[in-house]
Amino acid sequence: MTYSVWRIAREALRGNSGWQPAWRDQAPKPRYDVIVVGGGGHGLATAHYLAKLHGIANVAVLEKGWIGSGNAGRNTTIIRSNYLLPGNEVFYEHSMKLWEGLEQDLNFNTMVSQRGVLNLFHSDAERDAAARRGNSMRLHGADGELLDAAQVRTMVPLLDFDNARFPITGGLMQRRGGTARHDAVVWGYARAADRRGVDIIQNCEVTGIRVEGGRVRGVETTRGYIGAGKVGLACAGNTSRVAAMAGLRLPIESHVLQAFVSEAIKPLVDTVITFGAGHFYISQSDKGSLVFGGDIDGYNSYAQRGSLPIVEDVAEACVALLPCTGRLRMLRSWGGIMDMSMDGSPIIDRTSVEGLYLNAGWCYGGFKATPASGWCFAHTIAHDEAHALNAAMRLDRFATGALIDEKGAGAQPNLH
Amino acid sequence: MRIPCPHCGERGNDEFLYRGAAGLPRPPADATEAQWHDYVYLRDNPYGSHRELWQHVHGCRRWLVVTRDTRTHVIAAVTDVSMALS
Amino acid sequence: MTNRLSQGGLIDRSVTIPFRFDGVTYTGYPGDTLASALLASGVRLFGRSFKYHRPRGLLSAGSEEPNALVELREGARREPNVPATMVELYPDLVAASQNRYPSLRFDLLAANGLLAPIFGAGFYYKTFMWPASFWERLYEPLIRRAAGLGRSATEPDPDHYERATLFCDVLVIGGGAAGLAAAREAGRSGARVVLCDEGSRLGGWLLSEPGPIGDRPAAIWAEQTVAELQTMDEVRVMPRTTVLATFDHGTYVAVERVADHKLMPEGGEPRQRVWHIIARRSIVACGATERPLVFGGNDRPGVMLSGSVRTYLNRYAVTPGRRAVIATTGDDGWDLLADCVRLGVDVAAIVDRRGTIAADRLDLARRAGAQVFAGGHIGATAGARRLSAVEVLDSGGKRQRLTADLLAMAGGWTPAIGLACHLGAKPVWNEESSAFLAAEAPPGLRLVGGAAGLIGLVQALESGAHGGAEAASACGFAVAVPAMATHSEAAAPLWFMPANRQKAFVDFQHDVAVSDVALAHREGYRSVEHLKRYTTLGMATDQGRTANVNGLALMAQMTGRDIAATGTTRLRPPHTPVAIGALAGMHRGRDYRPTRLTPAQGWAREQGAVFIETGPWLRAQYFPRTGEDDWLQSVTREVHAVRSAVGLCDVSTLGKIELVGSDAATFLDRVYVNTIATLPVGRARYGLMLREDGFTLDDGTIARLQPDRFVITTTTGEAHAVMSHLEYCHQVLWPELDVHFVSISDRWAQFAVAGPRSRAVLQAVLDPGLDISGDAFPFMAAAEGRAFGGLRIRLFRISFSGELAYELAVPAPQAETAVRALMQAGAGEGITPYGLEAMSVMRIEKGYAAGGEINGQTTPRDLGLEKMLAKRKDYIGRVLMRRRALQEASRPTLVGLRPTDRSARLHGGAHFLALQAPATAAHDEGWVSSVAFSPTLGHWIGLGFLANGAARHGERVRAYDPLRNRETEVEIMPPCQFDPEGVRLHG
């Protein structure tokens, strides 16, 4: 069933009784060519591109809960390609291009809204670092503009320009950046993959990975054993647990990241804004809620809840940046489990087990990567080798020293 | 979270600095690059009991080994690192 | 106040309070809320719904209110989305309705309602895709403007907030019957008790309950119990205080509304105060929220929750309608009927879902003159902007239209278990209570009364007393724990009454109707989370308190699963929406983060310094003098002064660590890349510290004052990280080493005295005994001594400027005295204060790496400092620094640069491209990390990282800067562009 204006009009006239499920809720078959473990955005996108671009449609996506129940459903919905390092920028810019055509590709409105991402800076040194990054973006064909304080003020007059502890001296603006509706991305990919024959299997938790002779054979699940030619892991915060089933020990720690929404209000913040003096980012959803977040809590955690100091830290940054938000109310918070890698950048690669592939290490930036992550992971699985776009995102880079450390924080995940 | 510091008593986790897994022995001077890689980069990242290093930076400044469940945050034990390693 | 009863209620009729709503002036009484006062004045229309802009009235009398949201106050204090039910009336209150255009009575966007068949759940996911560029330009702005509710203020919040901490044995959350009983029991035991209640007056439901407790009216019992609690020394009663969230290990967060019941805060008091409450045990006594019934037209103004109608009648003495119909699934509706009989409110009918009704109740109905529909339900409602008639179906399905302007719904209760679930406990469906209960509460937390599904006064009092005693006992206080009987009462929960084509709402605020739940089901969004996200059920400001259970019960019905298997969404903090400003507390504006000042900042201010934020510090950037138009003139003068005479710079922000012990040298050998053990006493050395992954952590100087005593410096920015790193190295890695160290950063102020005349200045202030002649105190000498007539000092001959220079450390309290004495001593030599900017210019002239270069991404090799690496010792970072990729020739390494055209300006952040190379990432060869105008050389210079840089000195490349539309040809130089032989340094 293709979504269109005509379909909506027709359904409206017949009491909306003709709509079909967006995806079929499938029971597992005994064997698939490819099993993708993890029914989040990345896993579903992988399945979609496997089917669409590589002709591999005998694919199952296994999800232990409901699709999108992990970080795809718990993030601040920001999309951008404003990275410093070549290994990242080429990949994220590809992701941005996929976002730009996603609605047409999926026939699903994921509400990609290119309202701009503005990174503020507060000193000459920060400006130089922003310029280095912005010029790198431009060299990669992405857009980026360096704004001075007056230009920032014109764009977002509500920021604190008069009484700030860390005065705003300018910003790096990426106009093509913005937000997308996170749940719609999950549902859009699920529906598109389903339409190409992919089985989406919910409430199916992987409990073991069968490896024989150094090669993956299938997975044990709460719904029985399922054979597979290849297995791709896209399990975000649970990556270490699932990879351990195949004997892998990874450069990853799981950390909790909190995020927050305010009550819905009339339009106040038109772009995505990040604070340079505190780790803080904010945007406003189409529904009217301010969506904002900050640092990870900073300790290993599989509990989807955070601690109080970060809540207050984020609120402090919010009011420091936008002093008029003091009386607005925080409506809800949530915590997601991030697969923090040791250099703060992702891994899309083969593993030491033949036929087992890894897509992990997204830290707190996985949402914006969703299209390119699926695209590159599908390529890597289909061809058994990385595409040029994810060539730098190797698992062995920690051994060779070819790290992708945007912040220069070193091998300590809670500092990235 | 609140961490019972053996020297200062129970305090909020914002008084502490987190480092990561405890009990990873630093390789000897003649260890291979691969051993150093494992030491610096690879982690068990357990779903459950985790022995980890916290420093009480806004208190006694001692490094502590905290045994905490990463699913529930229940803290089973806290010892000064000098006691934990001996 | 046309709808006010002449007597009764907890209001003070002797005082009238004037207030304004939508520009009209009304009056109310002390004890009123904005909602009760408006209702008393005959107002029925309070707001417009989110999506269809349907007219809405009051549903409730509490924090669950989805409809009656207003903008409270004006200007910078304007606050959107405030439930009128939660606003205590105060004189001159101003409120306005919201989300309507042009007015509340006539809202153009109500036309959305006509298109409801199109605007069903998730319609926007299926359209607005063509053409792609129209989303941002057309569709989205329209949607955004229509969405949202109230308007934020656009000026900074003028009020202030506080944060405070409390410790207690037993925290009781909620001051209704159960909470009061719990607090009293625990308090009598001597335990330290904190009792929080969101209301201004404790009592909760007791304030709406006319029935007696023992021999006293319930409200009087509440008042007397509070009075008793207030006599107990260890009990703290906190009204207007809402507990928002539960965190691990007994941490709770509450907000106290100190001044929200006034026009504005008075006498310096905060508007709100956030409490961190650390409790050994806690009791959740937050009661329960009544559920609406789901039937066609259930959102019309005049359709209200039954218990709330009782609150308006009994507590506020307001009659919400003239003629009522009561619809109930249990006994609650009958309690309302009894109130109506007592107060003389006309009741047309009572519709009970249950088929059989006790005789005494039938008798009550007869006395009220109300028809009884046993086994019946509501079919539809009628009325334009308020209810005028109700269509009732009897048990046989026969329809009857009754004139009524009030329809009270009693659909059962949803226990307020949120605070018990913040730590991850899953709500479990309990068939007997027809409610989700917190089956596994977190350690130390216990639910009582309505929150535990125990509805009814007797059960609330009993379970509260039991819980309070148990908690006190668990904290070690001697108290008899009273026994608790079990009760149960049968109700007939009813999730949906299908009857006609009117929209039946589940989530009032978000306009989620039964048809939306059905659509979600049809399209496969069947998990409760998919249902919530697809329809936005339960995501409104009321957090779905009245909507969630009905919504998922409907989904359960449609999927043929039971409610237990369907489950519910996770409850997350905050329990009640909370002002972001309250959570931020005092940390905003200039107080967002602490400001650190050096001990000599008073002197710098006197000298006219311009200060700059660097991390937590405010540091002197430069010292403008009369006649200088811009910073470059001042900086140029300062640099010239240092290079030609002498300058003085406050470098107190450097981290300083003193180490003592027989293994101090060994310890330092392991943390620095270069050898420290060979450093003679009285000498200093430049040192580089790595992380274990081989990247540079920090640089600084190491001075050996005695064989077993060292002083090291760190950069300003890394002072804390380095201290922690050293403590880690000692305590965790090498506890066997005999070394002790302490940060002395704040104990010692430090001044750089730099320039060819610096020796003369120092000689003038040093006490006799310390010979600093060139031979006695050469470059990199270090000593302790006395100066300024007996003051302890430390002197280091180190230089960050490339000149003959010293750093003089003095005890922090004497910093200002010392710096003034230095200035006086140097007056004849032309001593000039210089700031951060001149310091940075000179270090770039000398090619010294700083924050732009030592940024966590560079190894010693990248910095051109490989020659510092000791060959025969182990140290942090030694092995991984040498990984293959870090040794590749193409890896950018530190270079100096200058523009080929010497008049051209350089910019930090430009990238290097070969002269003829196309401007693409594939040809990117590095970047410019630091730039400055060099007054000494007379042109711009810079530092940067260039692929294979060390081998390319003399080569010309482009510094490409598309962000600023610039491209500059530059010549690659060695990093040090001034006095590379170091003649001046050793002078």
Side-chain angles (χ1 to χ4, degrees):
Chain A
M1 176 184 281
T2 300
Y3 293 156
S4 68
V5 176
W6 319 118
R7 170 75 65 178
I8 289 172
R10 206 173 75 190
E11 285 301 328
L13 293 175
R14 22 180 241 177
N16 286 308
S17 60
W19 294 108
Q20 299 293 313
W23 67 87
R24 299 157 299 152
D25 206 1
Q26 298 287 40
K29 292 192 291 205
R31 194 193 142 78
Y32 292 89
D33 292 340
V34 176
I35 285 178
V36 179
V37 183
H42 291 221
L44 292 163
T46 303
H48 167 68
Y49 292 116
L50 275 171
K52 183 185 169 187
L53 302 178
H54 304 286
I56 304 172
N58 184 22
V59 174
V61 177
L62 308 185
E63 167 53 49
K64 75 181 164 91
W66 37 278
I67 60 169
S69 54
N71 298 337
R74 288 175 233 285
N75 59 72
T76 45
T77 78
I78 297 168
I79 61 172
R80 57 184 172 90
S81 64
N82 55 359
Y83 281 77
L84 170 68
L85 300 176
N88 273 334
E89 182 58 18
V90 65
F91 171 87
Y92 284 102
E93 178 54 20
H94 181 65
S95 208
M96 186 54 78
K97 291 204 174 77
L98 291 172
W99 281 118
E100 286 171 329
L102 196 61
E103 274 114 20
Q104 281 66 34
D105 184 12
L106 301 183
N107 179 237
F108 201 94
N109 189 354
T110 50
M111 300 188 190
V112 171
S113 170
Q114 293 180 290
R115 58 180 74 173
V117 172
L118 175 62
N119 293 177
L120 300 174
F121 49 76
H122 309 264
S123 69
D124 290 355
E126 283 180 21
R127 182 205 53 220
D128 286 355
R132 179 187 166 199
R133 182 147 63 102
N135 281 327
S136 177
M137 290 155 61
R138 295 283 288 267
L139 284 165
H140 281 87
D143 67 311
E145 292 162 53
L146 202 64
L147 308 181
D148 62 20
Q151 289 169 303
V152 170
R153 190 166 194 162
T154 306
M155 187 173 288
V156 195
L158 296 177
L159 296 173
D160 190 351
F161 288 94
D162 303 319
N163 193 38
R165 171 68 182 82
F166 300 103
I168 295 161
T169 57
L172 177 63
M173 178 76 182
Q174 184 178 33
R175 289 187 196 270
R176 285 164 64 241
T179 58
R181 171 88 179 94
H182 59 339
D183 290 323
V185 174
V186 172
W187 302 332
Y189 272 117
R191 177 168 162 272
D194 175 86
R195 294 213 296 173
R196 291 181 186 276
V198 170
D199 281 3
I200 293 165
I201 304 165
Q202 302 184 94
N203 302 308
C204 180
E205 182 171 356
V206 170
T207 55
I209 298 175
R210 198 175 286 181
V211 178
E212 287 166 13
R215 187 175 173 86
V216 74
R217 299 291 169 189
V219 296
E220 311 283 352
T221 78
T222 49
R223 296 174 73 170
Y225 174 76
I226 312 173
K230 296 176 175 181
V231 174
L233 306 183
C235 323
N238 285 305
T239 295
S240 294
R241 292 173 69 195
V242 179
M245 295 171 189
L248 302 178
R249 196 162 171 252
L250 298 175
I252 284 175
E253 286 180 4
S254 296
H255 285 253
V256 69
L257 175 72
Q258 303 186 64
F260 309 87
V261 290
S262 78
E263 296 178 353
I265 49 167
K266 292 294 178 193
L268 185 76
V269 178
D270 292 328
T271 58
V272 180
I273 305 167
T274 73
F275 194 15
H279 193 174
F280 177 77
Y281 33 93
I282 186 166
S283 64
Q284 187 172 13
S285 75
D286 286 336
K287 210 164 77 87
S289 305
L290 299 178
V291 183
F292 51 101
D295 260 328
I296 55 174
D297 274 53
Y299 44 82
N300 287 52
S301 175
Y302 286 94
Q304 289 178 333
R305 63 173 182 269
S307 67
L308 177 58
I310 291 287
V311 178
E312 293 183 335
D313 191 70
V314 166
E316 289 163 10
C318 186
V319 181
L321 187 67
L322 291 157
C324 66
T325 58
R327 302 180 90 87
L328 299 179
R329 283 182 296 271
M330 178 189 288
L331 176 64
R332 199 168 46 250
S333 68
W334 64 92
I337 306 305
M338 310 293 128
D339 38 335
M340 299 297 298
S341 74
M342 285 284 176
D343 64 357
S345 291
I347 299 158
I348 302 178
D349 202 356
R350 297 179 298 193
T351 68
S352 55
V353 177
E354 207 183 326
L356 182 67
Y357 303 84
L358 181 66
N359 175 323
W362 293 100
C363 301
Y364 43 81
F367 178 69
K368 71 182 83 70
T370 305
S373 170
W375 198 96
C376 291
F377 200 34
H379 180 99
T380 305
I381 292 171
H383 297 274
D384 197 38
E385 67 177 356
H387 188 273
L389 292 168
N390 63 311
M393 297 176 171
R394 300 170 63 94
L395 184 53
D396 68 3
R397 67 177 186 266
F398 303 94
T400 63
L403 303 162
I404 318 173
D405 188 348
E406 291 268 335
K407 278 175 87 173
Q412 214 181 308
N414 63 334
L415 301 182
H416 283 288
Chain B
M1 289 207 301
R2 295 182 61 79
I3 298 174
C5 173
H7 309 295
C8 311
E10 185 189 283
R11 303 297 180 92
N13 67 307
D14 49 345
E15 290 190 11
F16 297 81
L17 180 76
Y18 182 75
R19 167 103 186 188
L24 302 172
R26 187 169 185 269
D30 58 355
T32 63
E33 198 174 288
Q35 285 172 298
W36 280 98
H37 162 263
D38 293 2
Y39 166 67
V40 171
Y41 291 108
L42 299 189
R43 296 289 179 268
D44 289 337
N45 193 20
Y47 181 75
S49 180
H50 189 224
R51 290 183 75 232
E52 59 198 21
L53 285 164
W54 295 77
Q55 187 190 13
H56 195 186
V57 283
H58 297 298
C60 55
R61 293 201 69 91
R62 290 296 301 177
W63 282 90
L64 309 173
V65 176
V66 176
T67 307
R68 181 180 58 97
D69 191 310
T70 58
R71 297 163 300 180
T72 62
H73 298 326
V74 170
I75 292 173
V78 182
T79 45
D80 188 280
V81 70
S82 63
M83 306 302 287
L85 299 181
S86 60
Chain C
M1 289 185 261
T2 52
N3 297 317
R4 187 79 73 174
L5 295 166
S6 58
Q7 53 185 359
L10 305 174
I11 49 170
D12 177 2
R13 287 181 179 77
S14 66
V15 180
T16 52
I17 298 178
F19 67 99
R20 276 191 299 140
F21 176 66
D22 274 349
V24 179
T25 301
Y26 301 90
T27 56
Y29 294 127
D32 262 329
T33 62
L34 174 60
S36 67
L38 284 172
L39 197 61
S41 301
V43 173
R44 287 291 179 277
L45 183 61
F46 278 74
R48 291 275 172 174
S49 66
F50 188 82
K51 190 158 144 190
Y52 302 133
H53 292 250
R54 288 167 72 101
R56 291 284 165 78
L58 286 170
L59 178 73
S60 75
S63 59
E64 71 272 33
E65 178 59 36
N67 294 336
L69 306 184
V70 299
E71 287 177 359
L72 186 66
R73 298 187 167 89
E74 295 173 302
R77 287 194 168 86
R78 183 171 66 204
E79 201 185 331
N81 309 338
V82 182
T85 50
M86 296 303 287
V87 180
E88 285 179 54
L89 202 63
Y90 54 83
D92 303 321
L93 176 151
V94 176
S97 59
Q98 57 184 36
N99 198 35
R100 80 290 189 262
Y101 179 83
S103 75
L104 186 55
R105 282 189 63 79
F106 178 74
D107 182 355
L108 284 174
L109 285 169
N112 285 357
L114 302 175
L115 298 172
I118 290 178
F119 290 174
F123 79 99
Y124 29 75
Y125 300 127
K126 301 171 188 153
T127 182
F128 299 133
M129 289 182 269
W130 316 272
S133 64
F134 272 38
W135 174 251
E136 287 90 351
R137 271 192 267 154
L138 179 65
Y139 305 132
E140 189 182 39
L142 285 175
I143 290 174
R144 291 191 76 194
R145 241 170 278 151
L149 292 162
R151 299 163 302 155
S152 166
T154 53
E155 296 149 68
D157 183 356
D159 294 337
H160 76 276
Y161 302 85
E162 285 180 1
R163 198 182 280 168
T165 306
L166 267 179
F167 293 82
C168 63
D169 295 313
V170 181
L171 168 66
V172 180
I173 305 165
L180 286 172
R184 186 170 68 170
E185 219 49 48
R188 283 174 176 172
S189 80
R192 214 158 25 143
V193 176
V194 171
L195 169 61
C196 299
D197 189 83
E198 69 178 354
S200 57
R201 179 168 183 161
L202 274 73
W205 178 249
L206 298 179
L207 307 178
S208 303
E209 179 59 61
I213 296 177
D215 55 356
R216 288 163 286 177
I220 300 297
W221 181 88
E223 202 175 310
Q224 290 173 346
T225 305
V226 172
E228 183 192 341
L229 289 169
Q230 277 162 341
T231 64
M232 301 180 186
D233 289 341
E234 296 296 327
V235 175
R236 182 175 185 135
V237 179
M238 302 178 73
R240 298 191 177 104
T241 303
T242 306
V243 176
L244 305 167
T246 310
F247 290 95
D248 285 286
H249 308 140
T251 305
Y252 299 81
V253 179
V255 63
E256 179 185 2
R257 286 175 297 278
V258 179
D260 276 354
H261 59 293
K262 304 174 185 175
L263 193 57
M264 61 181 73
E266 294 162 6
E269 69 187 350
R271 177 188 167 218
Q272 298 179 349
R273 185 180 290 126
V274 162
W275 288 96
H276 296 182
I277 305 174
I278 317 299
R280 296 169 70 191
R281 287 285 184 284
S282 66
I283 292 182
V284 173
C286 304
T289 303
E290 195 166 34
R291 282 196 292 265
L293 294 168
V294 183
F295 53 83
N298 63 345
D299 69 327
R300 221 173 289 281
V303 181
M304 296 175 71
L305 295 173
S306 168
S308 300
V309 173
R310 297 191 67 206
T311 297
Y312 287 112
L313 288 170
N314 297 323
R315 179 171 178 179
Y316 301 112
V318 175
T319 50
R322 296 185 191 289
R323 188 173 154 83
V325 170
I326 301 169
T328 187
T329 59
D331 295 343
D332 303 300
W334 295 93
D335 293 339
L336 171 59
L337 181 64
D339 287 344
C340 290
V341 170
R342 189 169 43 82
L343 297 170
V345 176
D346 187 13
V347 179
I350 180 161
V351 184
D352 194 325
R353 187 63 200 143
R354 298 171 295 188
T356 48
I357 292 163
D360 58 333
R361 291 198 164 136
L362 291 172
D363 186 50
L364 180 69
R366 213 169 8 258
R367 276 191 282 132
Q371 290 188 65
V372 176
F373 293 86
H377 63 259
I378 305 296
T381 66
R385 287 189 197 88
R386 63 177 295 183
L387 186 72
S388 60
V390 178
E391 187 183 86
V392 178
L393 278 78
D394 68 15
S395 56
K398 205 170 127 240
R399 288 163 196 273
Q400 189 173 338
R401 189 182 165 97
L402 302 170
T403 302
D405 62 353
L406 174 66
L407 172 50
M409 320 179 264
W413 298 88
T414 297
I417 59 172
L419 289 170
C421 297
H422 288 174
L423 297 187
K426 283 202 173 119
V428 175
W429 181 254
N430 182 295
E431 200 61 53
E432 196 184 329
S433 322
S434 297
F436 281 98
L437 301 181
E440 281 179 46
L445 181 148
R446 189 191 158 121
L447 299 107
V448 298
L454 302 168
I455 308 298
L457 201 51
V458 177
Q459 299 197 81
L461 290 168
E462 260 186 38
S463 73
H466 181 82
E470 195 186 59
S473 165
C475 292
F477 294 88
V479 53
V481 180
M484 213 176 86
T486 54
H487 304 261
S488 69
E489 226 172 330
L494 172 67
W495 306 115
F496 176 46
M497 313 172 181
N500 67 2
R501 295 180 62 84
Q502 285 185 338
K503 266 206 172 319
F505 286 89
V506 183
D507 185 318
F508 292 99
Q509 193 181 122
H510 269 175
D511 279 336
V512 179
V514 173
S515 56
D516 295 309
V517 179
L519 183 62
H521 171 257
R522 199 169 300 136
E523 296 194 89
Y525 300 94
R526 293 174 189 182
S527 111
V528 286
E529 283 284 352
H530 285 153
L531 169 66
K532 166 180 132 184
R533 289 152 188 263
Y534 194 62
T535 64
T536 74
L537 173 85
M539 292 171 84
T541 61
D542 55 81
Q543 298 170 318
R545 286 184 199 198
T546 55
N548 282 346
V549 173
N550 281 337
L552 57 93
L554 281 165
M555 180 55 83
Q557 222 168 46
M558 290 171 194
T559 53
R561 289 176 296 183
D562 56 20
I563 297 177
T566 303
T568 184
T569 54
R570 187 162 169 176
L571 298 160
R572 294 180 176 282
H575 187 50
T576 304
V578 54
I580 298 169
L583 291 171
M586 59 297 266
H587 298 276
R588 58 178 191 159
R590 292 202 197 274
D591 297 328
Y592 167 55
R593 289 291 177 259
T595 302
R596 301 194 66 188
L597 299 164
T598 68
Q601 64 93 18
W603 162 80
R605 227 170 265 282
E606 276 167 33
Q607 295 286 328
V610 170
F611 287 90
I612 179 102
E613 296 78 8
T614 55
W617 295 96
L618 272 189
R619 299 183 68 183
Q621 190 180 17
Y622 58 97
F623 296 81
R625 288 208 181 146
T626 318
E628 288 170 350
D629 300 333
D630 70 356
W631 64 271
L632 188 56
Q633 283 180 15
S634 308
V635 172
T636 299
R637 172 182 48 75
E638 291 171 16
V639 170
H640 280 314
V642 174
R643 296 254 182 258
S644 64
V646 57
L648 174 61
C649 183
D650 184 354
V651 294
S652 302
T653 60
L654 289 174
K656 305 169 211 82
I657 300 166
E658 189 160 337
L659 301 92
V660 187
S662 59
D663 291 325
T666 309
F667 179 71
L668 291 173
D669 259 341
R670 294 185 190 179
V671 296
Y672 282 104
V673 301
N674 42 338
T675 305
I676 309 301
T678 56
L679 183 68
V681 171
R683 286 290 180 276
R685 190 166 280 173
Y686 175 71
L688 204 60
M689 222 179 246
L690 307 186
R691 302 186 304 234
E692 197 69 277
D693 66 356
F695 290 85
T696 312
L697 170 62
D698 199 39
D699 65 346
T701 55
I702 305 109
R704 192 168 205 164
L705 299 176
Q706 290 165 22
D708 63 349
R709 181 180 291 268
F710 293 80
V711 171
I712 67 171
T713 63
T714 77
T715 57
T716 301
E718 296 298 316
H720 290 293
V722 168
M723 185 67 193
S724 254
H725 172 68
L726 296 185
E727 285 163 331
Y728 173 83
C729 290
H730 182 226
Q731 295 176 30
V732 181
L733 298 182
W734 309 304
E736 70 282 5
L737 294 185
D738 173 29
V739 59
H740 298 272
F741 47 91
V742 64
S743 167
I744 53 165
S745 300
D746 296 344
R747 304 282 297 177
W748 293 83
Q750 198 149 312
F751 300 96
V753 183
R757 311 287 308 148
S758 56
R759 184 177 293 133
V761 177
L762 278 162
Q763 275 166 337
V765 300
L766 289 174
D767 292 357
L770 187 54
D771 178 4
I772 59 164
S773 64
D775 292 337
F777 203 74
F779 180 57
M780 295 313 259
E784 292 178 289
R786 305 242 166 214
F788 310 107
L791 185 65
R792 264 181 73 205
I793 56 111
R794 285 169 176 173
L795 188 65
F796 311 93
R797 191 173 153 191
I798 51 184
S799 175
F800 201 47
S801 59
E803 299 296 326
L804 166 69
Y806 302 84
E807 286 190 12
L808 176 72
V810 300
Q814 278 77 46
E816 292 226 1
T817 316
V819 73
R820 282 179 223 282
L822 280 168
M823 286 297 287
Q824 208 167 14
E829 312 291 345
I831 195 165
T832 302
Y834 68 99
L836 210 50
E837 207 65 43
M839 185 203 283
S840 174
V841 169
M842 290 186 280
R843 72 99 188 165
I844 295 173
E845 289 175 337
K846 289 298 293 178
Y848 296 147
E853 292 76 35
I854 301 180
N855 62 356
Q857 298 168 323
T858 48
T859 65
R861 181 180 175 278
D862 301 340
L863 294 167
L865 297 173
E866 263 185 309
K867 58 185 180 302
M868 285 181 68
L869 305 175
K871 298 203 171 48
R872 273 184 282 278
K873 65 161 189 171
D874 185 24
Y875 54 89
I876 300 270
R878 179 182 58 95
V879 176
L880 293 186
M881 167 180 69
R882 298 184 201 281
R883 279 173 287 176
R884 178 157 44 90
L886 301 176
Q887 304 280 349
E888 280 171 10
S890 61
R891 201 174 154 81
T893 54
L894 187 70
V895 293
L897 52 134
R898 62 183 182 189
T900 310
D901 168 3
R902 298 285 190 273
S903 65
R905 190 181 167 162
L906 296 178
H907 289 274
H911 282 242
F912 293 127
L913 296 171
L915 288 181
Q916 304 304 326
T920 64
H923 298 91
D924 188 357
E925 293 202 86
W927 67 96
V928 179
S929 56
S930 299
V931 299
F933 176 78
S934 165
T936 318
L937 300 171
H939 57 80
W940 283 82
I941 57 170
L943 294 173
F945 290 86
L946 178 68
N948 197 19
R952 296 171 69 177
H953 296 169
E955 197 178 309
R956 289 177 181 189
V957 298
R958 290 140 70 204
Y960 178 68
D961 188 9
L963 280 183
R964 285 169 289 208
N965 254 325
R966 288 198 177 88
E967 196 170 321
T968 313
E969 189 180 295
V970 297
E971 194 179 329
I972 300 305
M973 305 284 293
C976 178
Q977 300 194 53
F978 176 70
D979 186 27
E981 295 78 24
V983 176
R984 305 176 68 90
L985 202 62
H986 293 276

